[in-house]
Amino acid sequence: MANKIIRASFFKREPITCARELIGAELIWGDCSGRLVEVEAYAAIDDEAAHTFTRPSARSFIERNEAGAAYVYFNYGMHWMLNVLVKGAANGFVLIRALEPLKGIERMKSRRGLNDVKNLCSGPGKLTQALGIIGRHHEMDLCSDPHHCFARNPKMVVDVVADARVGITRSAHYPWRFTLRGSEFVSRAVKP
């Protein structure tokens, strides 16, 4: 069965469920795509690591956008980061952390200036560079355009591992990082 676009209804649930169920899905971005092998969930309420804890702009982004919208921001003045908005019983975001490249690999290599396929998209800043995701993609609807979307086989079953989120100091104890078990394409190995 072919992959189908993940529609907005998928993102009208809470962030942890959405994050876990995105593992194994495909992120299609123009002529490039990759299988999601690592994501992190962020809750809009009571999660000190989420932008909504300190940034009024993140809270207003949630108010003015629908579930499935792209939340793209420039991190530490160095890298663009791609998140998808989740609006359900609990609002929040899913940060796209790592992909296994599937299509457009030569273009990704050119954008990243390297040949090692395992390192093309093995981190949130790396994958946005490889896919060409920048600030103009902020607030894009990721649930209707077949050229900029998530897609998955509804019958797909994957082995997902939950782990602590990485690269944060506040609310770091939550096991809201989800990875595809055994993937060589994750940004950081899962703690045993």
Side-chain angles (χ1 to χ4, degrees):
M1 178 178 252
N3 286 350
K4 295 183 177 182
I5 293 177
I6 296 176
R7 300 295 180 185
S9 58
F10 177 92
F11 298 104
K12 292 180 179 175
R13 301 177 298 157
E14 52 86 30
I16 297 165
T17 301
C18 285
R20 177 181 287 279
E21 293 183 12
L22 275 173
I23 293 296
E26 185 178 1
L27 173 59
I28 299 165
W29 206 268
D31 58 354
C32 298
S33 75
R35 179 178 298 107
L36 276 73
V37 296
E38 181 182 359
V39 300
E40 288 178 346
Y42 288 86
I45 305 292
D46 297 328
D47 181 357
E48 292 183 54
H51 283 179
T52 50
F53 198 78
T54 57
R55 295 184 185 179
S57 61
R59 293 189 292 274
S60 65
F61 171 86
I62 291 174
E63 290 174 17
R64 73 177 176 271
N65 283 280
E66 298 297 321
Y71 178 59
V72 179
Y73 63 90
F74 205 51
N75 195 39
Y76 300 120
M78 295 174 60
H79 304 289
W80 292 103
M81 308 291 249
L82 173 65
N83 299 257
V84 60
L85 175 60
V86 177
K87 291 178 84 169
N91 296 337
F93 302 96
V94 177
L95 170 65
I96 310 305
R97 284 197 56 86
L99 302 174
E100 175 184 345
L102 297 174
K103 295 178 188 157
I105 294 173
E106 292 307 313
R107 186 168 174 111
M108 290 186 206
K109 286 179 178 179
S110 175
R111 286 176 175 147
R112 293 267 296 120
L114 59 90
N115 284 316
D116 183 359
V117 175
K118 288 182 187 171
N119 284 318
L120 282 179
C121 300
S122 61
K126 293 177 182 180
L127 74 88
T128 54
Q129 183 182 17
L131 297 177
I133 297 171
I134 58 174
R136 71 180 172 90
H137 298 116
H138 183 60
E139 299 194 16
M140 177 182 279
D141 175 5
L142 299 179
C143 299
S144 60
D145 177 359
H147 302 290
H148 297 93
C149 67
F150 298 97
R152 67 192 297 256
N153 179 332
K155 297 185 181 201
M156 173 184 61
V157 177
V158 294
D159 191 0
V160 178
V161 178
D163 193 17
R165 297 179 293 187
V166 296
I168 57 173
T169 54
R170 297 177 298 180
S171 298
H173 62 286
Y174 293 130
W176 294 352
R177 174 184 177 228
F178 300 98
T179 59
L180 180 64
R181 186 178 302 278
S183 175
E184 299 176 299
F185 297 89
V186 297
S187 67
R188 197 175 291 186
V190 174
K191 296 175 188 171

